[in-house]
Amino acid sequence: MQRAYRTLRAALATCAAAVLAACSTTPLPDDEAAAPPPLTPPAATAPSVPGPPGLPPGTIDRAASRWIPVTWAELPGWDADRAAEAWSAFLRGCERPAPGWSRLCAEAVFSTPADDHGTRQWFMQRLQPYRIEALDRPDPEGLITGYFEPLVEASRLPRGAFKVPLHRAPADLQQRKPWFTRQQIDTLPAAQAALKGREIAYVADPLDALVLQIQGSGRLRITEPDGRLQTVRVAFAGHNDQPYKSVGRWLIEQRELTADTASWPAIRDWARRNPRRVNEMLWSNPRTVFFREEPLPDPTAGPRGAQGVPLTPERSIAVDPRSVPYGTPVWLDTTEPLSNTPLRRLVLAQDTGTAIVGAVRADYFWGPGEIAEQQAGRMKQRLRMWALAPK
């Protein structure tokens, strides 16, 4: 979602930077890697060129990475992955195939591997693995963070604790730049008048609204006026053109948290203990995001990423498209954020974010809900990556 003001999908280069960034470790966003911009066709990736002399034949230099051809035996854990789980993500990516993938995507539409082994064989027969390294140094290690799709209880009408509105974009958003700040929206009659009637729903916790804005989209479990419950998605529809400021960074500067402890759980805990300062914290970030409501016909699918296709929980990642083109299958070698057990699996590069920069850099989409939030909020692991490209 560039989980930037990122497609889904969203948001750190470090825990403190994502706690201060977005499209990442759900500590905080320092930029808007977690909120998606309006969907546009992905820009064509700069053509790859052969690597400099002295490297293995078939080495490719991209705009921000070097791809070194390797054998399948180099991919740790390749034979143990539940590869069939990645097939649906691969087919979704084929709805908007990257350059050079049209033929294989057309073939994949009529292929249905029977199991994990069959899926691996399909890829091994048609693709070549490449180890991804930085252009300026032979360093195969980088960083992986995580993002998620919030699931928030909401009410269609203000009632009880449900008083924090999520707004559609105001009618004059394009004419007034920058638009009102977050504090002005909360305090100025003119700003409130411009948003009157633009409410999509109301949530009970202003931090829930902030998380939705940082991640760029989310799910609402809404109570309708007649008492019915339904789940919908709110997607990024614009922002007020004000600078993004991390509330995590503000808390660190206020000496309320340290860089090592700044995370969403810690921020929520601080807010519970300091209710009179919550607005002060929120107003330190002048940027506000506006949403549009979308139906949720497939609860298994995430929001659309920068590639323009729905993200697949635990099988989609955000990347720097100068390093890895959208739609590319990628093999990850990293660890789980809570258990530190190996996390090795086939994923698809289908999103990006402004904090996701560099050759070996990824943001892992955990999906919706509380467990996904816990995983994403603590993920800041070492990473190795291999790209798979047509032979």
Side-chain angles (χ1 to χ4, degrees), residues 330-380:
V330 175
W331 182 254
L332 299 181
D333 177 26
T334 184
T335 54
E336 295 266 1
L338 298 179
S339 64
N340 215 35
T341 56
L343 176 61
R344 294 164 173 164
R345 62 182 51 182
L346 183 63
V347 297
L348 278 296
Q350 296 176 326
D351 204 1
T352 193
T354 56
I356 312 306
V357 178
V360 188
R361 179 71 173 93
D363 209 20
Y364 187 80
F365 180 60
W366 283 98
E370 184 177 351
I371 294 177
E373 179 176 1
Q374 293 171 1
Q375 294 278 41
R378 292 168 172 81
M379 192 172 201
K380 190 190 71 171

Side-chain angles (χ1 to χ4, degrees), residues 262-342:
S263 66
W264 274 116
I267 291 165
R268 288 186 183 276
D269 179 66
W270 181 90
R272 283 191 292 268
R273 292 183 288 104
N274 298 272
R276 294 185 179 182
R277 297 192 67 193
V278 168
N279 276 343
E280 183 184 359
M281 176 185 71
L282 295 174
W283 292 345
S284 72
N285 173 26
R287 173 162 293 187
T288 291
V289 170
F290 304 108
F291 298 99
R292 64 177 182 273
E293 181 177 334
E294 298 179 346
L296 193 66
D298 181 3
T300 67
R304 291 182 181 272
Q307 189 186 2
V309 302
L311 304 178
T312 300
E314 301 187 47
R315 292 292 174 173
S316 294
I317 59 171
V319 296
D320 183 340
R322 301 172 308 146
S323 172
V324 182
Y326 298 142
T328 301
V330 175
W331 182 254
L332 299 181
D333 177 26
T334 184
T335 54
E336 295 266 1
L338 298 179
S339 64
N340 215 35
T341 56

Side-chain angles (χ1 to χ4, degrees), residues 176-220:
R176 181 187 178 112
K177 287 184 175 290
W179 213 71
F180 295 104
T181 66
R182 182 183 298 272
Q183 181 174 1
Q184 290 170 335
I185 289 170
D186 288 345
T187 59
L188 291 185
Q192 294 166 358
L195 291 172
K196 188 174 179 59
R198 313 294 289 182
E199 300 88 356
I200 295 173
Y202 297 81
V203 299
D205 187 340
L207 287 183
D208 284 339
L210 182 64
V211 168
L212 287 166
Q213 293 178 2
I214 288 171
Q215 296 296 315
S217 71
R219 301 183 185 198
L220 300 181

Side-chain angles (χ1 to χ4, degrees), residues 12-45:
L12 357 194
T14 69
C15 191
V19 167
L20 317 158
C23 189
S24 304
T25 281
T26 296
L28 304 186
D30 223 17
D31 54 28
E32 35 233 281
L39 285 176
T40 54
T45 309

Side-chain angles (χ1 to χ4, degrees), residues 44-128:
T45 309
S48 56
V49 297
L55 292 170
T59 294
I60 298 170
D61 277 2
R62 309 200 69 87
S65 66
R66 174 165 293 144
W67 291 15
I68 311 293
V70 298
T71 67
W72 290 96
E74 181 175 307
L75 279 57
W78 171 255
D79 290 337
D81 182 37
R82 297 188 297 274
E85 295 178 0
W87 188 254
S88 62
F90 176 62
L91 291 182
R92 283 174 175 153
C94 279
E95 295 172 12
R96 301 186 71 172
W101 279 91
S102 296
R103 179 183 59 82
L104 283 183
C105 280
E107 182 181 347
V109 171
F110 298 99
S111 302
T112 308
D115 52 22
D116 295 329
H117 176 75
T119 304
R120 284 192 292 270
Q121 289 300 309
W122 194 95
F123 286 118
M124 292 174 72
Q125 290 166 8
R126 297 163 177 81
L127 305 180
Q128 166 65 45

